[in-house]
Amino acid sequence: MPTIQLGVYLTSGQETYRAVGWALEAGYRGIDSAQMYRNEKQAGRAILDFLASEANVDGLRREDIHFTSKLASNSAYDTARKAISRSVKECGLGYIDLFLLHSPYGGKTARLESWRAVEDAIKDGEVKIGGVSNYGVKHLQELLASNPNIPPAVNQVEVHPFNTRTDITSFCQEHGIVVEAYAPLVRALRMKHPTIVQLSNKYKCTPAQLLVRWSLQHGYVPLPKSSKKERIVENADISGFAIADEDMQRMDGLDEYLVTDWDPTDCP
Ligand SMILES: NC(=O)c1ccc[n+]([C@@H]2O[C@H](COP(=O)([O-])OP(=O)(O)OC[C@H]3O[C@@H](n4cnc5c(N)ncnc54)[C@H](OP(=O)(O)O)[C@@H]3O)[C@@H](O)[C@H]2O)c1
């Protein structure tokens, strides 16, 4: 799975098309979309157009790109299964690399039936990998206790220094579930925080690069979003430095349970 992926939440179809093209040119190999974002089609089109273009200097093929989408709402098996097929058709990529249940909302029966739909989409070749998003520890335990044929490979949750969610991330890491960190840039709400500014100066990087690096050093897959070309390039340009252990701990200590979007992790 690519280590840094472009998020395309709150990005219109046209913006998504442009941003995905710029990201692929800049070296991103993963795109994070969702049914709810209403841009699966433009994301898929941008991927195919890039692959066929002269900008594809490395001769990349469909299988070199990792495309994610998510089920808008959990439901009965048939409804979920059909919705997954619709996403595959909508993106035009032939299959979806990673398909997630977007949240645990809907109750236990809907969660487990929707998961069965993901498993069957994998068996049918429409999806390569299955996962969940916004699952709290109790939702993960419920799914694992149901003896799934295929366990979830990913949990995508809000994770950054201002909301570290160590309860969820440590459970995932203990169970071999990859943590995808959404809102890794804290939605740009803490770029001027004194500790972030001080450490960015120390490492001669931007606040955004520091936040992406923090995520990677914890072993997460960050999904930074931007609709601006220069920021898309900047956010993935993080190989020139490493954050020292004591500074990682300082950043971990900034936790204030800051929720930038929604927090379904405790829902029944
Ligand atoms: N599963 C879920 O429930 C869920 C929920 C939320 C997000 N996500 C995923 O995670 C992705 C990222 O989360 P997010 O979009 O909420 O927040 P984010 O990536 O933390 O932050 C995006 C914000 O930061 C700004 N930004 C980007 N690069 C910057 C830079 N270098 N310097 C300053 N500002 C910068 C962007 O503005 P510009 O666009 O103007 O550059 C945008 O306002 C989403 O796109 C989505 O794919 C998933």
Side-chain angles (χ1 to χ4, degrees):
M1 200 179 296
T3 46
I4 302 178
Q5 302 182 27
L6 181 77
V8 291
Y9 180 35
L10 298 176
T11 313
S12 71
Q14 228 181 11
E15 282 176 322
T16 298
Y17 182 84
R18 283 199 305 261
V20 170
W22 290 328
L24 294 172
E25 263 184 69
Y28 290 69
R29 295 294 172 256
I31 307 297
D32 182 75
S33 180
Q35 293 173 349
M36 273 203 271
Y37 304 169
R38 298 179 176 278
N39 53 25
E40 292 167 295
K41 187 180 193 147
Q42 292 84 358
R45 173 49 47 205
I47 291 170
L48 293 176
D49 285 355
F50 171 80
L51 293 176
S53 74
E54 286 180 3
N56 181 11
V57 288
D58 296 326
L60 299 174
R61 294 179 300 176
R62 163 69 186 92
E63 54 269 35
D64 299 313
I65 310 297
H66 181 91
F67 179 72
T68 299
S69 191
K70 315 183 191 86
L71 187 71
S73 53
N74 298 328
S75 59
Y77 171 87
D78 281 345
T79 313
R81 184 70 194 83
K82 280 184 195 141
I84 299 172
S85 294
R86 267 202 308 280
S87 269
V88 175
K89 208 166 160 202
E90 184 76 5
C91 72
L93 293 168
Y95 61 87
I96 290 174
D97 297 271
L98 174 63
F99 198 88
L100 308 177
L101 303 185
H102 207 141
S103 86
Y105 286 140
K108 179 175 178 178
T109 306
R111 280 193 289 275
L112 295 183
E113 289 209 15
S114 297
W115 181 254
R116 215 156 46 77
V118 172
E119 289 181 331
D120 283 354
I122 294 172
K123 278 192 222 134
D124 295 341
E126 288 190 353
V127 166
K128 297 278 183 211
I129 309 169
V132 294
S133 177
N134 294 297
Y135 267 42
V137 170
K138 65 179 179 180
H139 305 117
L140 293 168
Q141 283 169 333
E142 170 191 276
L143 179 50
L144 296 176
S146 73
N147 285 323
N149 290 320
I150 304 173
V154 168
N155 188 18
Q156 184 181 120
V157 275
E158 172 160 0
V159 178
H160 46 71
F162 300 89
N163 191 357
T164 56
R165 297 313 314 252
T166 46
D167 53 337
I168 300 175
T169 58
S170 50
F171 183 90
C172 288
Q173 291 182 326
E174 277 157 28
H175 289 81
I177 299 171
V178 173
V179 173
E180 287 194 342
Y182 79 64
L185 307 177
V186 207
R187 281 263 178 103
L189 294 170
R190 292 290 183 274
M191 295 299 191
K192 295 196 170 128
H193 186 284
T195 305
I196 298 298
V197 171
Q198 197 196 10
L199 291 177
S200 311
N201 290 336
K202 173 174 174 181
Y203 290 104
K204 299 188 174 36
C205 65
T206 66
Q209 289 169 330
L210 183 78
L211 290 165
V212 171
R213 190 76 222 175
W214 176 90
S215 205
L216 286 173
Q217 284 188 214
H218 268 298
Y220 310 145
V221 174
L223 311 167
K225 175 260 167 182
S226 178
S227 47
K228 299 186 174 67
K229 186 174 183 178
E230 64 281 8
R231 287 180 172 178
I232 289 172
V233 172
E234 169 191 326
N235 297 343
D237 182 16
I238 41 77
S239 58
F241 69 103
I243 304 170
D245 289 349
E246 65 267 23
D247 292 330
M248 285 295 286
Q249 280 161 22
R250 252 184 98 191
M251 291 176 76
D252 294 346
L254 298 173
D255 195 1
E256 51 173 284
Y257 207 116
L258 174 65
V259 173
T260 60
D261 194 54
W262 60 342
D263 184 12
T265 55
D266 199 28
C267 75

